[in-house]
Amino acid sequence: MSLMTLTTAITGNQDPNFYAGRADAYDDHQTGTPLDTLNTRAAYNAEHHNPMYAAGYYARVLEIRRETADINDLQADIAHTEHLGRAA
């Protein structure tokens, strides 16, 4: 069974392929696909899919990478603060 990602209505000159790529990257990430695999799929999409679809997929992968980096930084800060708190 697959999951369907619902998005808001697209208006104006926005390309639906861009949002389809973003939705697919979101779905892939939600199902537990590792970040390295998402990067590989983004590179594959750049060569074999509609350019706007590939751009949307890669844009979401970049957001996931930034979110992951932010979470890792916050966890490191918390661990460092807790460690300092115990030493005092």
Side-chain angles (χ1 to χ4, degrees):
M1 185 170 126
S2 63
L3 300 174
M4 185 170 104
T5 301
L6 300 175
T7 62
T8 57
I10 298 172
T11 59
N13 293 329
Q14 298 167 332
D15 191 333
N17 290 311
F18 180 82
Y19 295 99
R22 286 185 58 84
D24 286 348
Y26 176 86
D27 289 343
D28 290 345
H29 178 63
Q30 290 300 106
T31 58
T33 304
L35 190 55
D36 290 340
T37 304
L38 292 175
N39 286 324
T40 303
R41 288 180 184 174
Y44 177 84
N45 288 335
E47 295 177 10
H48 299 284
H49 281 281
N50 177 296
M52 289 306 294
Y53 176 89
Y57 195 97
Y58 192 64
R60 181 62 191 133
V61 170
L62 287 176
E63 289 174 3
I64 293 167
R65 289 173 61 187
R66 283 188 222 114
E67 291 167 3
T68 302
D70 288 345
I71 290 169
N72 291 342
D73 289 345
L74 287 172
Q75 288 175 339
D77 286 345
I78 291 169
H80 181 72
T81 303
E82 289 176 356
H83 177 70
L84 289 177
R86 281 188 241 147

Coordinates of all heavy atoms in Angstrom, one line a residue:
M1 N 0.8 -1.2 0.0 CA 0.0 0.0 0.0 C 0.9 1.2 0.0 O 1.9 1.3 0.7 CB -0.9 0.0 1.2 CG -1.9 1.1 1.3 SD -3.0 0.8 2.6 CE -2.9 2.3 3.5
S2 N 0.5 2.2 -0.8 CA 1.3 3.4 -0.8 C 0.6 4.6 -0.1 O -0.6 4.5 0.0 CB 1.7 3.8 -2.3 OG 0.5 4.1 -2.9
L3 N 1.3 5.5 0.3 CA 0.7 6.7 0.9 C 0.6 7.8 -0.1 O 1.5 8.0 -1.0 CB 1.6 7.2 2.0 CG 1.9 6.2 3.2 CD1 2.9 6.7 4.1 CD2 0.6 5.9 3.9
M4 N -0.4 8.6 0.0 CA -0.6 9.7 -0.9 C -0.4 11.0 -0.2 O -1.0 11.2 0.9 CB -2.1 9.7 -1.5 CG -2.3 10.8 -2.5 SD -3.9 10.5 -3.4 CE -4.8 11.8 -2.6
T5 N 0.5 11.8 -0.7 CA 0.7 13.1 -0.1 C -0.2 14.2 -0.7 O -0.2 14.4 -1.9 CB 2.2 13.5 -0.3 OG1 3.0 12.5 0.3 CG2 2.5 14.9 0.4
L6 N -1.0 14.8 0.2 CA -1.9 15.9 -0.3 C -1.1 17.2 -0.2 O -0.4 17.5 0.7 CB -3.1 15.9 0.6 CG -3.9 14.6 0.6 CD1 -5.1 14.7 1.5 CD2 -4.4 14.3 -0.8
T7 N -1.3 18.1 -1.2 CA -0.7 19.4 -1.2 C -1.8 20.4 -1.5 O -2.9 20.1 -1.9 CB 0.4 19.5 -2.3 OG1 -0.2 19.3 -3.5 CG2 1.5 18.5 -2.1
T8 N -1.4 21.6 -1.3 CA -2.3 22.7 -1.5 C -2.5 22.9 -3.1 O -1.6 22.4 -3.8 CB -1.9 24.0 -0.9 OG1 -0.5 24.3 -1.4 CG2 -1.8 23.9 0.6
A9 N -3.5 23.6 -3.5 CA -3.7 23.9 -4.9 C -2.6 24.7 -5.5 O -2.0 25.6 -4.8 CB -5.0 24.6 -5.1
I10 N -2.2 24.4 -6.7 CA -1.1 25.2 -7.4 C -1.8 26.2 -8.2 O -2.7 25.9 -9.0 CB -0.3 24.2 -8.2 CG1 0.4 23.2 -7.3 CG2 0.7 25.0 -9.0 CD1 1.1 22.1 -8.1
T11 N -1.3 27.4 -8.1 CA -1.9 28.5 -8.8 C -0.8 29.2 -9.6 O 0.4 29.1 -9.3 CB -2.6 29.5 -7.9 OG1 -1.6 30.0 -7.0 CG2 -3.7 28.9 -7.1
G12 N -1.2 30.0 -10.6 CA -0.3 30.8 -11.3 C 0.6 30.0 -12.2 O 0.1 29.0 -12.8
N13 N 1.8 30.4 -12.4 CA 2.7 29.7 -13.3 C 3.6 28.6 -12.7 O 4.6 28.2 -13.2 CB 3.7 30.8 -14.0 CG 2.9 31.7 -14.9 OD1 1.9 31.3 -15.5 ND2 3.4 32.9 -14.9
Q14 N 3.2 28.1 -11.5 CA 4.0 27.1 -10.8 C 3.8 25.8 -11.6 O 2.7 25.4 -11.9 CB 3.5 27.0 -9.4 CG 3.8 28.3 -8.6 CD 3.1 28.3 -7.3 OE1 2.0 27.7 -7.1 NE2 3.6 29.0 -6.4
D15 N 5.0 25.1 -11.7 CA 5.0 23.8 -12.4 C 4.6 22.7 -11.5 O 5.2 22.5 -10.4 CB 6.4 23.6 -12.9 CG 6.5 22.4 -13.9 OD1 5.6 21.5 -13.8 OD2 7.3 22.4 -14.8
P16 N 3.5 21.9 -11.8 CA 3.1 20.8 -10.9 C 4.2 19.7 -10.8 O 4.2 19.0 -9.8 CB 1.9 20.3 -11.6 CG 1.7 20.9 -12.8 CD 2.7 22.1 -12.9
N17 N 5.1 19.6 -11.7 CA 6.1 18.6 -11.6 C 7.1 18.9 -10.5 O 7.6 18.0 -9.8 CB 6.9 18.5 -13.0 CG 6.1 17.9 -14.1 OD1 5.5 16.8 -13.9 ND2 6.1 18.5 -15.2
F18 N 7.3 20.2 -10.2 CA 8.2 20.6 -9.1 C 7.6 20.0 -7.8 O 8.3 19.4 -7.0 CB 8.3 22.1 -9.1 CG 9.2 22.6 -8.0 CD1 10.6 22.6 -8.1 CD2 8.6 23.1 -6.8 CE1 11.4 23.1 -7.0 CE2 9.4 23.5 -5.7 CZ 10.8 23.5 -5.9
Y19 N 6.3 20.2 -7.6 CA 5.7 19.8 -6.4 C 5.5 18.3 -6.3 O 5.5 17.7 -5.2 CB 4.3 20.6 -6.2 CG 4.6 22.0 -6.1 CD1 4.5 22.9 -7.1 CD2 5.1 22.5 -4.9 CE1 4.8 24.3 -7.0 CE2 5.4 23.9 -4.7 CZ 5.2 24.7 -5.8 OH 5.5 26.1 -5.7
A20 N 5.4 17.7 -7.4 CA 5.3 16.2 -7.5 C 6.7 15.6 -7.0 O 6.7 14.7 -6.2 CB 5.0 15.7 -8.9
G21 N 7.8 16.3 -7.4 CA 9.1 15.8 -7.0 C 9.3 16.0 -5.5 O 9.8 15.2 -4.8
R22 N 8.8 17.2 -5.0 CA 8.9 17.5 -3.5 C 8.1 16.4 -2.7 O 8.5 15.9 -1.7 CB 8.4 18.9 -3.2 CG 9.4 20.0 -3.6 CD 8.9 21.3 -3.2 NE 8.7 21.4 -1.7 CZ 9.6 21.7 -0.9 NH1 10.8 21.9 -1.3 NH2 9.4 21.7 0.4
A23 N 6.9 16.1 -3.2 CA 6.0 15.2 -2.5 C 6.7 13.8 -2.5 O 6.6 13.1 -1.5 CB 4.7 15.2 -3.2
D24 N 7.3 13.4 -3.6 CA 7.9 12.1 -3.7 C 9.1 12.0 -2.7 O 9.3 11.0 -2.0 CB 8.3 11.7 -5.1 CG 7.1 11.3 -6.0 OD1 6.0 11.2 -5.4 OD2 7.3 11.3 -7.2
A25 N 9.9 13.0 -2.7 CA 11.0 13.0 -1.7 C 10.5 13.0 -0.3 O 11.1 12.3 0.6 CB 11.9 14.3 -2.0
Y26 N 9.4 13.7 0.0 CA 8.8 13.7 1.3 C 8.4 12.3 1.7 O 8.7 11.8 2.8 CB 7.7 14.7 1.4 CG 7.0 14.7 2.7 CD1 7.4 15.5 3.8 CD2 5.8 13.9 2.9 CE1 6.7 15.5 5.0 CE2 5.2 13.9 4.1 CZ 5.6 14.7 5.1 OH 5.0 14.7 6.4
D27 N 7.6 11.7 0.8 CA 7.1 10.3 1.0 C 8.3 9.3 1.2 O 8.2 8.5 2.1 CB 6.2 9.9 -0.2 CG 4.9 10.6 -0.2 OD1 4.5 11.2 0.8 OD2 4.3 10.6 -1.3
D28 N 9.3 9.4 0.4 CA 10.4 8.5 0.5 C 11.1 8.7 1.9 O 11.4 7.7 2.5 CB 11.5 8.8 -0.6 CG 11.0 8.4 -2.0 OD1 10.0 7.6 -2.0 OD2 11.6 8.8 -2.9
H29 N 11.2 9.9 2.3 CA 11.9 10.2 3.6 C 11.0 9.7 4.8 O 11.5 9.1 5.7 CB 12.1 11.7 3.8 CG 12.7 12.1 5.1 ND1 13.9 11.6 5.5 CD2 12.2 12.8 6.1 CE1 14.2 12.1 6.7 NE2 13.2 12.8 7.1
Q30 N 9.7 9.9 4.6 CA 8.7 9.4 5.7 C 8.7 7.9 5.8 O 8.4 7.4 6.9 CB 7.3 9.9 5.4 CG 7.2 11.4 5.6 CD 7.5 11.9 7.0 OE1 8.5 12.4 7.3 NE2 6.6 11.6 8.0
T31 N 9.0 7.2 4.8 CA 9.0 5.7 4.8 C 10.3 5.2 5.3 O 10.5 4.0 5.4 CB 8.7 5.1 3.5 OG1 9.6 5.5 2.5 CG2 7.3 5.5 3.0
G32 N 11.3 6.1 5.7 CA 12.5 5.6 6.3 C 13.7 5.5 5.3 O 14.7 4.9 5.7
T33 N 13.6 6.0 4.2 CA 14.7 6.0 3.2 C 15.9 6.8 3.7 O 15.7 7.9 4.1 CB 14.3 6.5 1.8 OG1 13.1 5.8 1.4 CG2 15.4 6.4 0.8
P34 N 17.1 6.2 3.8 CA 18.2 6.9 4.3 C 18.6 8.1 3.4 O 18.3 8.1 2.2 CB 19.3 5.9 4.3 CG 18.7 4.6 4.1 CD 17.4 4.8 3.5
L35 N 19.2 9.1 4.0 CA 19.6 10.3 3.3 C 20.5 10.1 2.1 O 20.4 10.7 1.1 CB 20.2 11.3 4.3 CG 20.4 12.7 3.8 CD1 19.1 13.3 3.3 CD2 21.0 13.6 4.9
D36 N 21.4 9.1 2.3 CA 22.3 8.8 1.2 C 21.5 8.3 0.0 O 21.9 8.6 -1.2 CB 23.4 7.7 1.6 CG 24.4 8.3 2.6 OD1 24.5 9.5 2.6 OD2 25.0 7.5 3.3
T37 N 20.5 7.5 0.2 CA 19.7 7.0 -0.8 C 18.9 8.1 -1.5 O 18.7 8.1 -2.7 CB 18.8 5.8 -0.3 OG1 19.6 4.8 0.3 CG2 17.9 5.2 -1.4
L38 N 18.4 9.0 -0.7 CA 17.7 10.1 -1.2 C 18.6 11.0 -2.2 O 18.1 11.4 -3.2 CB 17.1 11.0 -0.1 CG 16.0 10.4 0.7 CD1 15.6 11.4 1.9 CD2 14.8 10.1 -0.1
N39 N 19.8 11.2 -1.7 CA 20.8 11.9 -2.6 C 21.0 11.2 -3.9 O 21.1 11.8 -5.0 CB 22.1 12.1 -1.9 CG 22.0 13.1 -0.8 OD1 21.3 14.1 -0.9 ND2 22.7 12.9 0.3
T40 N 21.1 9.8 -3.8 CA 21.3 9.0 -5.1 C 20.1 9.2 -6.0 O 20.3 9.3 -7.2 CB 21.6 7.6 -4.7 OG1 22.7 7.5 -3.8 CG2 21.8 6.7 -5.9
R41 N 18.9 9.1 -5.4 CA 17.7 9.2 -6.2 C 17.6 10.6 -6.8 O 17.2 10.8 -8.0 CB 16.5 8.9 -5.4 CG 16.3 7.5 -5.0 CD 15.1 7.2 -4.2 NE 15.1 5.8 -3.8 CZ 14.2 5.3 -2.9 NH1 13.3 6.1 -2.4 NH2 14.2 4.0 -2.6
A42 N 18.0 11.6 -6.1 CA 18.0 13.0 -6.6 C 18.9 13.1 -7.8 O 18.5 13.7 -8.8 CB 18.4 14.0 -5.5
A43 N 20.1 12.5 -7.7 CA 21.0 12.5 -8.9 C 20.4 11.8 -10.1 O 20.6 12.2 -11.2 CB 22.4 12.0 -8.5
Y44 N 19.8 10.6 -9.8 CA 19.2 9.9 -10.9 C 18.1 10.7 -11.5 O 18.0 10.7 -12.8 CB 18.7 8.5 -10.3 CG 17.9 7.7 -11.3 CD1 18.6 6.9 -12.2 CD2 16.5 7.8 -11.5 CE1 18.0 6.1 -13.2 CE2 15.9 7.0 -12.4 CZ 16.6 6.2 -13.3 OH 15.9 5.5 -14.2
N45 N 17.3 11.3 -10.7 CA 16.2 12.1 -11.2 C 16.6 13.2 -12.1 O 16.0 13.6 -13.1 CB 15.3 12.7 -10.1 CG 14.5 11.6 -9.4 OD1 14.2 10.6 -10.0 ND2 14.2 11.9 -8.1
A46 N 17.8 13.8 -11.8 CA 18.3 14.9 -12.6 C 18.7 14.5 -14.0 O 18.6 15.3 -14.9 CB 19.6 15.5 -11.9
E47 N 19.0 13.2 -14.1 CA 19.4 12.7 -15.5 C 18.2 12.1 -16.2 O 18.3 12.0 -17.5 CB 20.5 11.6 -15.3 CG 21.8 12.2 -14.8 CD 22.9 11.1 -14.6 OE1 22.6 10.0 -15.0 OE2 23.9 11.4 -13.9
H48 N 17.2 11.6 -15.5 CA 16.2 10.8 -16.2 C 14.8 11.3 -16.1 O 13.9 10.6 -16.6 CB 16.3 9.3 -15.6 CG 17.6 8.7 -15.9 ND1 18.0 8.2 -17.1 CD2 18.6 8.4 -15.0 CE1 19.2 7.7 -17.0 NE2 19.6 7.8 -15.7
H49 N 14.5 12.3 -15.4 CA 13.1 12.8 -15.2 C 13.0 14.2 -15.7 O 14.0 14.9 -16.1 CB 12.7 12.8 -13.7 CG 12.4 11.4 -13.3 ND1 11.1 10.8 -13.5 CD2 13.1 10.5 -12.6 CE1 11.1 9.6 -13.0 NE2 12.3 9.4 -12.4
N50 N 11.8 14.7 -15.7 CA 11.5 16.1 -16.0 C 12.4 17.0 -15.1 O 12.5 16.8 -13.9 CB 10.0 16.3 -15.7 CG 9.6 17.8 -15.9 OD1 10.0 18.6 -15.2 ND2 8.7 17.9 -16.9
P51 N 13.0 18.0 -15.7 CA 13.9 18.9 -14.9 C 13.2 19.6 -13.7 O 13.8 19.7 -12.6 CB 14.3 20.0 -15.9 CG 14.1 19.4 -17.2 CD 13.0 18.4 -17.1
M52 N 11.9 19.9 -13.8 CA 11.3 20.5 -12.7 C 11.0 19.5 -11.6 O 11.0 19.8 -10.4 CB 10.0 21.2 -13.1 CG 10.2 22.5 -13.9 SD 11.3 23.7 -13.1 CE 10.3 24.2 -11.7
Y53 N 10.6 18.3 -12.0 CA 10.5 17.2 -11.0 C 11.7 17.0 -10.2 O 11.8 16.9 -9.0 CB 10.0 15.9 -11.7 CG 9.9 14.7 -10.8 CD1 8.7 14.5 -10.1 CD2 11.0 13.9 -10.5 CE1 8.6 13.4 -9.3 CE2 10.9 12.8 -9.7 CZ 9.7 12.6 -9.0 OH 9.5 11.5 -8.2
A54 N 12.9 16.9 -11.0 CA 14.2 16.7 -10.3 C 14.5 17.8 -9.4 O 15.0 17.6 -8.3 CB 15.2 16.5 -11.4
A55 N 14.2 19.1 -9.8 CA 14.5 20.2 -9.0 C 13.7 20.2 -7.7 O 14.2 20.5 -6.6 CB 14.2 21.5 -9.8
G56 N 12.4 19.8 -7.8 CA 11.6 19.7 -6.6 C 12.0 18.6 -5.7 O 12.1 18.8 -4.4
Y57 N 12.4 17.5 -6.2 CA 12.9 16.3 -5.4 C 14.2 16.8 -4.7 O 14.3 16.6 -3.5 CB 13.2 15.1 -6.3 CG 13.4 13.8 -5.5 CD1 12.3 13.0 -5.4 CD2 14.6 13.5 -4.9 CE1 12.4 11.8 -4.7 CE2 14.7 12.3 -4.2 CZ 13.7 11.5 -4.1 OH 13.8 10.3 -3.4
Y58 N 15.1 17.4 -5.4 CA 16.4 17.8 -4.8 C 16.2 18.9 -3.8 O 16.8 18.9 -2.7 CB 17.4 18.2 -5.9 CG 18.7 18.4 -5.3 CD1 19.4 17.3 -4.8 CD2 19.4 19.6 -5.3 CE1 20.7 17.4 -4.3 CE2 20.6 19.8 -4.8 CZ 21.3 18.7 -4.3 OH 22.6 18.8 -3.8
A59 N 15.2 19.8 -4.0 CA 14.9 20.9 -3.1 C 14.5 20.3 -1.7 O 14.9 20.8 -0.6 CB 13.9 21.8 -3.6
R60 N 13.6 19.3 -1.8 CA 13.2 18.7 -0.5 C 14.3 17.9 0.2 O 14.4 17.9 1.4 CB 12.0 17.8 -0.8 CG 11.5 17.1 0.5 CD 10.9 18.2 1.5 NE 10.7 17.5 2.7 CZ 11.1 18.0 3.9 NH1 11.7 19.1 4.0 NH2 10.8 17.3 5.0
V61 N 15.2 17.2 -0.6 CA 16.3 16.5 -0.1 C 17.2 17.5 0.7 O 17.7 17.2 1.8 CB 17.1 15.7 -1.1 CG1 18.4 15.2 -0.6 CG2 16.2 14.6 -1.6
L62 N 17.5 18.7 0.1 CA 18.3 19.7 0.7 C 17.7 20.2 2.0 O 18.4 20.3 3.0 CB 18.5 20.9 -0.2 CG 19.5 20.7 -1.4 CD1 19.5 21.9 -2.3 CD2 20.9 20.3 -0.9
E63 N 16.4 20.3 2.1 CA 15.7 20.7 3.3 C 15.9 19.6 4.4 O 16.1 19.9 5.5 CB 14.2 21.0 3.0 CG 13.9 22.2 2.3 CD 12.5 22.4 1.9 OE1 11.6 21.5 2.3 OE2 12.1 23.3 1.2
I64 N 15.7 18.4 4.0 CA 15.9 17.3 4.9 C 17.3 17.3 5.4 O 17.5 17.0 6.6 CB 15.6 15.9 4.2 CG1 14.1 15.9 3.9 CG2 16.0 14.7 5.1 CD1 13.7 14.7 3.0
R65 N 18.3 17.5 4.6 CA 19.7 17.6 5.0 C 19.9 18.7 6.1 O 20.6 18.5 7.1 CB 20.7 17.8 3.9 CG 20.8 16.5 3.0 CD 21.5 16.8 1.7 NE 22.9 17.1 2.0 CZ 23.8 17.5 1.1 NH1 23.4 17.6 -0.2 NH2 25.0 17.9 1.4
R66 N 19.3 19.8 5.8 CA 19.4 20.9 6.8 C 18.7 20.6 8.1 O 19.2 20.9 9.2 CB 18.9 22.2 6.1 CG 19.8 22.9 5.2 CD 19.2 24.2 4.7 NE 19.4 24.4 3.3 CZ 18.5 24.4 2.4 NH1 17.2 24.4 2.8 NH2 18.7 24.5 1.1
E67 N 17.5 20.0 8.0 CA 16.8 19.6 9.2 C 17.6 18.6 10.0 O 17.7 18.8 11.2 CB 15.5 19.1 8.8 CG 14.5 20.0 8.3 CD 13.3 19.4 7.6 OE1 13.2 18.1 7.6 OE2 12.4 20.1 7.1
T68 N 18.2 17.7 9.4 CA 19.0 16.6 10.0 C 20.2 17.3 10.7 O 20.6 17.0 11.8 CB 19.5 15.6 9.0 OG1 18.3 15.0 8.4 CG2 20.2 14.5 9.7
A69 N 20.9 18.2 10.0 CA 22.1 18.9 10.6 C 21.7 19.7 11.8 O 22.4 19.7 12.8 CB 22.7 19.8 9.5
D70 N 20.5 20.4 11.7 CA 20.0 21.2 12.9 C 19.7 20.3 14.1 O 20.1 20.6 15.2 CB 18.8 22.0 12.5 CG 19.1 23.2 11.6 OD1 20.3 23.5 11.4 OD2 18.2 23.7 10.9
I71 N 19.1 19.2 13.8 CA 18.7 18.3 14.9 C 20.0 17.7 15.5 O 20.1 17.7 16.8 CB 17.8 17.1 14.4 CG1 16.5 17.6 14.1 CG2 17.8 16.0 15.4 CD1 15.6 16.7 13.3
N72 N 21.0 17.4 14.7 CA 22.3 16.9 15.3 C 23.0 17.9 16.1 O 23.5 17.6 17.1 CB 23.2 16.4 14.1 CG 22.6 15.1 13.5 OD1 21.8 14.4 14.1 ND2 23.1 14.8 12.3
D73 N 23.0 19.2 15.6 CA 23.6 20.3 16.4 C 22.9 20.5 17.7 O 23.6 20.6 18.7 CB 23.6 21.6 15.6 CG 24.5 21.5 14.4 OD1 25.4 20.7 14.4 OD2 24.4 22.4 13.5
L74 N 21.6 20.4 17.7 CA 20.8 20.6 19.0 C 21.1 19.5 19.9 O 21.3 19.7 21.1 CB 19.3 20.7 18.7 CG 18.9 22.1 18.0 CD1 17.4 22.0 17.6 CD2 19.1 23.2 18.9
Q75 N 21.1 18.3 19.4 CA 21.4 17.1 20.3 C 22.8 17.2 20.9 O 23.0 16.9 22.1 CB 21.2 15.8 19.6 CG 19.8 15.5 19.3 CD 19.6 14.3 18.4 OE1 20.5 13.8 17.7 NE2 18.4 13.7 18.5
A76 N 23.8 17.7 20.1 CA 25.1 17.8 20.6 C 25.2 18.9 21.7 O 25.8 18.8 22.7 CB 26.1 18.2 19.5
D77 N 24.4 20.0 21.5 CA 24.4 21.1 22.5 C 23.8 20.6 23.8 O 24.3 20.9 24.9 CB 23.6 22.3 21.9 CG 24.4 23.1 20.9 OD1 25.6 22.9 20.8 OD2 23.7 23.9 20.2
I78 N 22.7 19.9 23.7 CA 22.0 19.3 24.9 C 23.0 18.4 25.6 O 23.1 18.4 26.8 CB 20.7 18.6 24.5 CG1 19.7 19.7 24.0 CG2 20.2 17.8 25.7 CD1 18.4 19.1 23.4
A79 N 23.6 17.5 24.9 CA 24.5 16.5 25.5 C 25.7 17.3 26.2 O 26.1 16.9 27.3 CB 25.1 15.6 24.5
H80 N 26.2 18.3 25.5 CA 27.3 19.1 26.1 C 26.8 19.8 27.3 O 27.6 19.8 28.3 CB 27.8 20.1 25.0 CG 29.0 20.9 25.5 ND1 30.2 20.3 25.7 CD2 29.1 22.2 25.9 CE1 31.0 21.3 26.2 NE2 30.3 22.4 26.2
T81 N 25.7 20.4 27.3 CA 25.1 21.1 28.5 C 24.9 20.2 29.6 O 25.2 20.5 30.8 CB 23.8 21.9 28.1 OG1 24.1 22.7 27.0 CG2 23.3 22.6 29.2
E82 N 24.3 19.0 29.3 CA 24.0 18.0 30.4 C 25.3 17.5 31.0 O 25.5 17.3 32.2 CB 23.2 16.9 29.9 CG 21.8 17.2 29.6 CD 21.0 16.1 28.9 OE1 21.6 15.0 28.6 OE2 19.8 16.3 28.7
H83 N 26.3 17.4 30.2 CA 27.6 16.9 30.6 C 28.3 17.9 31.6 O 28.8 17.6 32.6 CB 28.6 16.6 29.5 CG 29.9 16.2 29.9 ND1 30.2 14.9 30.5 CD2 31.1 16.8 29.8 CE1 31.5 14.9 30.8 NE2 32.1 16.0 30.3
L84 N 28.2 19.2 31.2 CA 28.7 20.3 32.0 C 28.0 20.4 33.3 O 28.5 20.7 34.4 CB 28.7 21.6 31.2 CG 29.7 21.7 30.1 CD1 29.5 23.1 29.4 CD2 31.1 21.6 30.6
G85 N 26.7 20.2 33.2 CA 25.8 20.3 34.4 C 26.2 19.2 35.5 O 26.2 19.5 36.7
R86 N 26.5 18.0 35.0 CA 26.9 17.0 36.0 C 28.3 17.2 36.6 O 28.6 16.8 37.7 CB 26.9 15.6 35.2 CG 25.5 15.1 35.1 CD 25.5 13.7 34.5 NE 24.8 13.8 33.3 CZ 25.1 13.1 32.2 NH1 26.0 12.2 32.2 NH2 24.4 13.2 31.1
A87 N 29.2 17.8 35.8 CA 30.5 18.0 36.3 C 30.6 19.1 37.3 O 31.5 19.1 38.2 CB 31.5 18.4 35.1
A88 N 29.6 20.0 37.3 CA 29.7 21.1 38.3 C 29.3 20.8 39.7 O 28.9 19.9 40.1 CB 28.7 22.2 37.8

